[in-house]
Amino acid sequence: MTPEEMEEVRPRLEAFAAEMLGSLARRDQRAKGEMYLRGLMLDGKRKSMQPMAERLGVDHQQLQQFVSSSTWDYSKVRERLARWAAAHISPEAYAIDDVGFPKDGYDSPGVARMYCGALGKRGNCQIGVSVNLVSDRASSAVDWRLFLPESWDDTKHGEDLLLAEAIRRRRAKAGIPAAARHREKWRLALDMLDEACGEWELPDLPVVADAGYGDATGFREGLTERGLTYAVAVKATTTAHPGDATPERPPYSGQGRPPVSSYPQPHTTLRALALAAGQAATRTVTWRQGSKSTKHNPRAEMRSRFLALRVRPANRSIRRATDGSLPECWLLVEWPPDSAEPTDYWLSTLPADTPLRELVRIAKIRWRVEHDYRELKDGLGLDHFEGRNYLGWHRHVTLTSLAQAFCTMLRLDPKAPASA
């Protein structure tokens, strides 16, 4: 925003900040929080401390102290944001996503050589995992975790005393609390869903995620254990039985341990199951309206051909029922008419009577998060934080999420007058 645009909406921003930052005990903390939000939203290429302070006309030490060393609980702010988002954007799913923060040097907490989407390759970066409340019209990143690789967890290197001690010094320098340890990204996502649905009492909604999470059997089973349905992307090589397959118990010879029930036919891949059904079994589905119209698609409808089959995912990690059967779920496949084979695969535990269009719409709803992530990164400086402090990182991403939520509020209600 330009300074003039900011002045026009500032009364609304102050009211929004007062609501979101109401858990902060001190008035000066709430004022600095509102100031930080203004700094994130004002026009400018960099949203790190010093450039923001220059645009705001303040000493950058004020911002630095507020984010890195002041005493306030970012989790309480996130809870207020989550409740606001649940009330204002009518969320239809929880979207799990992660984002890379390219970094120079090795002192920032969690930094390591990993694949970074922002770089399009492996590089020096941090990885942040987020839980987003999402609908087709808006999304809000309501919770965050910083992924800590094993190289940041001294308990993973206990046999190498010198390395473990070096990691402890590194953790202490970055202010990483003792309880923060290496956990797979999908486990961090489950932790955040526990916080959202348990402590914050948000509604149970379907969970959507890309194959980085969907391919983790533990993640899918963890969602089911929590009573959450899902529609998650998976690889074509994921193994499964057809939905109508049933286990059989071989006859008992009377000697040794009785045999257990098993499926008479070996499992196959999702790709093979889709190809066996054939492209003729697909149906055209329109799941939303896009923004780019063409001569042949004047309404910019997002449509493709899809196939839905009942399947039973199969691997050694999936728990079976007492009769030896594997859980049944949906396999959703996108198979564009001009493609020789399917291009995308999802597994879903949405109810068995869910219409195909609804399956597709929920599986595809992640597009909104990807769209809004661009605003978080390009417009609001999500990955511009230059501090080397674990607490500071979590506070920065929380405040960036608040700034994005305020922009969403303006977008959903652009003609509402600014309060006096």
Side-chain angles (χ1 to χ4, degrees), residues 170-192:
R170 194 183 187 199
R171 287 171 59 91
K173 187 176 180 180
I176 299 176
R181 297 291 168 181
H182 167 73
R183 286 174 68 75
E184 296 92 336
K185 286 178 276 188
W186 62 266
R187 292 189 191 275
L188 296 177
L190 291 178
D191 291 344
M192 288 187 281

Side-chain angles (χ1 to χ4, degrees), residues 287-324:
W287 64 92
R288 68 177 177 89
Q289 186 172 332
S291 57
K292 296 181 179 179
S293 59
T294 65
K295 178 180 178 181
H296 300 290
N297 187 9
R299 296 180 59 188
E301 293 178 333
M302 304 294 291
R303 60 175 178 250
S304 186
R305 292 190 68 83
F306 294 87
L307 168 69
L309 303 170
R310 300 297 285 175
V311 299
R312 298 179 185 272
N315 65 50
R316 293 181 181 178
S317 301
I318 299 176
R319 281 169 287 187
R320 298 174 180 243
T322 54
D323 65 355

Side-chain angles (χ1 to χ4, degrees), residues 31-332:
K32 288 177 182 175
E34 187 269 334
M35 183 192 301
Y36 199 94
L37 295 180
R38 278 190 284 128
L40 291 171
M41 288 186 285
L42 282 171
D43 287 347
K45 188 172 183 181
R46 290 296 299 173
K47 302 300 174 72
S48 51
M49 301 285 186
Q50 198 145 353
M52 284 201 302
E54 290 175 0
R55 288 190 285 270
L56 291 165
V58 299
D59 185 345
H60 79 278
Q61 292 294 337
Q62 293 187 47
L63 302 181
Q64 183 72 46
Q65 188 272 340
F66 171 70
V67 168
S68 298
S69 58
S70 182
T71 55
W72 56 278
D73 186 353
Y74 59 78
S75 66
K76 296 297 184 183
V77 177
R78 292 178 183 177
E79 181 178 359
R80 292 190 175 217
L81 170 61
R83 293 179 184 277
W84 176 90
H88 287 82
I89 68 173
S90 303
E92 299 179 83
Y94 293 105
I96 310 301
D97 213 333
D98 55 65
V99 59
F101 298 72
K103 290 291 176 182
D104 295 324
Y106 290 89
D107 292 330
S108 298
V111 71
R113 284 194 63 80
M114 301 177 281
Y115 178 79
C116 177
L119 299 173
K121 61 180 181 180
R122 284 179 61 85
N124 216 43
C125 69
Q126 298 167 308
I127 300 292
V129 182
S130 67
V131 167
N132 309 264
L133 286 173
V134 58
S135 68
D136 271 328
R137 65 176 187 158
S139 74
S140 179
V142 298
D143 210 356
W144 290 91
R145 293 292 186 276
L146 178 63
F147 171 68
L148 293 176
E150 289 190 5
S151 59
W152 280 86
D153 189 344
D154 55 288
T155 65
K156 300 294 184 182
H157 303 274
E159 68 284 354
D160 189 332
L161 298 181
L162 289 177
L163 178 57
E165 178 58 30
I167 293 173
R168 281 192 286 271
R169 289 195 300 269
R170 194 183 187 199
R171 287 171 59 91
K173 187 176 180 180
I176 299 176
R181 297 291 168 181
H182 167 73
R183 286 174 68 75
E184 296 92 336
K185 286 178 276 188
W186 62 266
R187 292 189 191 275
L188 296 177
L190 291 178
D191 291 344
M192 288 187 281
L193 288 169
D194 286 340
E195 186 170 42
C197 299
E199 297 176 34
W200 299 349
E201 299 180 335
L202 297 187
D204 291 346
L205 299 169
V207 176
V208 296
D210 65 21
Y213 298 87
D215 281 329
T217 299
F219 178 65
R220 301 199 308 267
E221 292 200 325
L223 294 175
T224 299
E225 289 168 1
R226 289 160 172 79
L228 297 172
T229 59
Y230 59 78
V232 294
V234 291
K235 294 190 179 79
T237 52
T238 300
T239 52
H241 292 285
D244 58 1
T246 55
E248 298 178 3
R249 186 187 295 275
Y252 180 43
S253 65
Q255 298 180 346
R257 180 179 298 176
V260 298
S261 297
S262 62
Y263 288 91
Q265 300 298 322
H267 57 62
T268 185
T269 66
L270 300 184
R271 176 180 180 272
L273 290 171
L275 291 175
Q279 194 170 25
T282 63
R283 289 167 46 196
T284 298
V285 174
T286 299
W287 64 92
R288 68 177 177 89
Q289 186 172 332
S291 57
K292 296 181 179 179
S293 59
T294 65
K295 178 180 178 181
H296 300 290
N297 187 9
R299 296 180 59 188
E301 293 178 333
M302 304 294 291
R303 60 175 178 250
S304 186
R305 292 190 68 83
F306 294 87
L307 168 69
L309 303 170
R310 300 297 285 175
V311 299
R312 298 179 185 272
N315 65 50
R316 293 181 181 178
S317 301
I318 299 176
R319 281 169 287 187
R320 298 174 180 243
T322 54
D323 65 355
S325 63
L326 289 160
E328 185 181 9
C329 69
W330 283 111
L331 163 62
L332 176 66

